[in-house]
Amino acid sequence: MTETSVDDLVELLRTLTASGGGRTMVGIVGAPGSGKSTLATLLAERLVDHGAVVVPFDGFHLANAVLERRGLQGNKGAMETFDLDGYAHLLQRLRRASTTVYAPDYDRSIEEPIAGAVAVPPSSRVVITEGNYLLADHPAARRAKRALDAVWYLDLDEDTRTERLVERHIRFGKTPAEARTWVAGSDQRNADLVARTREKADLVVRLPDSR
């Protein structure tokens, strides 16, 4: 697979913005632990002159209390544990917004979404959104995709991806055994679902530092 550098992606975003004349909106999709948030942040930092803002899909996690009521706490991260309709509506609103729009974020330290945490002013010419299910076979996911100019799939080898996930879960409170069990179970089921959407992406990205 041909590797793509962050520089290449920055230039691609600049080209999309120059040719479109308005706001450019790009999605980054990939399995859990593939580095979507890191890449989105890097791109936004490099496009500060365009007022780039990252809008995370994780902000649309259902609250833990809702998951508990529905018996979904053990499936957290699966597609049914997100407000996909709310996410699609937000992207559609961002596409046509002439005023500041406030998007939710996700706080991993408490494992809860935080409403109104990300401001997207009308001066933001680039919006980068990242999440697992942008290319999923779901009506709301299809509406979300239609609001975007492109969707990129971030690819990473499985060993590196799973080790990153284990480290993340340990960092946020799980024991090593709990982390590995969660990664092998819930996270892997979600990763398998996301991987099946890879061919729908406009571009498959593999960064040089990924093994």
Side-chain angles (χ1 to χ4, degrees):
M1 180 186 296
T2 303
E3 293 179 344
T4 306
S5 70
V6 173
D7 287 343
D8 293 335
L9 297 176
V10 169
E11 287 309 307
L12 181 52
L13 275 170
R14 290 188 184 280
T15 299
L16 285 171
T17 303
S19 62
R23 172 173 284 169
T24 296
M25 295 177 56
V26 170
I28 300 174
V29 66
S34 58
K36 301 180 296 295
S37 299
T38 299
L39 176 58
T41 299
L42 284 172
L43 293 173
E45 289 172 349
R46 295 283 297 276
L47 290 159
V48 66
D49 57 321
H50 284 49
V53 177
V54 177
V55 173
F57 174 67
D58 275 355
F60 287 87
H61 267 285
L62 297 179
N64 287 330
V66 175
L67 296 180
E68 289 172 5
R69 285 199 301 270
R70 296 185 178 182
L72 293 171
Q73 191 68 25
N75 296 335
K76 190 167 185 174
M79 190 158 54
E80 64 269 23
T81 67
F82 289 88
D83 177 13
L84 278 170
D85 284 305
Y87 179 63
H89 284 306
L90 176 74
L91 294 187
Q92 292 168 336
R93 185 180 171 201
L94 285 170
R95 170 56 72 190
R96 61 179 183 268
S98 58
T99 59
T100 298
V101 174
Y102 292 92
D105 202 349
Y106 187 75
D107 188 337
R108 291 193 181 278
S109 66
I110 59 172
E111 295 192 335
E112 289 280 13
I114 306 296
V118 179
V120 186
S123 58
S124 293
R125 297 183 61 204
V126 174
V127 171
I128 304 164
T129 186
E130 48 82 17
N132 295 341
Y133 303 115
L134 266 173
L135 297 173
D137 185 16
H138 186 284
R142 290 193 288 272
R143 290 199 306 275
K145 184 177 184 294
R146 286 196 295 270
L148 301 172
D149 296 288
V151 177
W152 301 341
Y153 186 98
L154 181 57
D155 194 54
L156 185 67
D157 78 277
E158 282 296 285
D159 288 343
T160 303
R161 187 187 66 79
T162 55
E163 284 305 308
R164 283 183 180 178
L165 274 178
V166 169
E167 292 169 4
R168 178 197 293 174
H169 287 307
I170 292 171
R171 191 163 65 250
F172 289 103
K174 286 184 172 62
T175 67
E178 289 170 339
R180 291 193 178 279
T181 297
W182 188 274
V183 168
S186 179
D187 280 343
Q188 191 58 49
R189 289 192 297 273
N190 301 335
D192 292 341
L193 175 61
V194 174
R196 291 196 290 271
T197 70
R198 183 177 183 272
E199 293 183 358
K200 298 179 182 180
D202 298 294
L203 176 68
V204 176
V205 175
R206 191 174 182 92
L207 298 177
D209 60 350
S210 59
R211 299 196 300 271

